[in-house]
């Protein structure tokens, strides 16, 4: 059964602005990835940290 357009039960965005289509990737030391995934709400907290990190940097 196809998913109907304008369905109210579909996935909703988490934020007001859409995310970039290409992710930011970087290498970390061994064991950091597992520890990071154990932190509650780690993705949103990391996004906020990056926003604060680049705040005020000239483009």
């Amino acid at each position: 059964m196809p998913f109907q357009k304008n369905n109210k039960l579909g996935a909703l965005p988490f934020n007001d602005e859409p995310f970039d289509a290409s992710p930011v990737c970087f290498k970390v030391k061994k064991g950091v990835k597992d520890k990071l995934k154990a932190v509650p709400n780690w993705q949103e907290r990391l996004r906020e940290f990056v926003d604060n990190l680049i705040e005020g940097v000239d483009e």
Side-chain angles (χ1 to χ4, degrees):
M1 180 171 164
F3 202 65
Q4 298 174 356
K5 291 186 178 184
N6 300 324
N7 189 330
K8 303 294 183 199
L9 299 176
L12 299 175
F14 293 116
N15 55 354
D16 297 332
E17 297 179 35
F19 293 135
D20 195 330
S22 59
V24 174
C25 301
F26 58 96
K27 301 269 185 181
V28 294
K29 295 178 183 177
K30 287 185 178 183
V32 171
K33 184 173 93 172
D34 294 329
K35 290 179 183 178
L36 182 63
K37 287 186 174 187
V39 174
N41 200 21
W42 70 270
Q43 290 178 324
E44 188 58 35
R45 292 173 66 180
L46 187 58
R47 287 184 193 107
E48 289 174 9
F49 178 79
V50 170
D51 288 343
N52 291 335
L53 181 66
I54 63 174
E55 188 174 292
V57 175
D58 295 333
E59 291 184 18

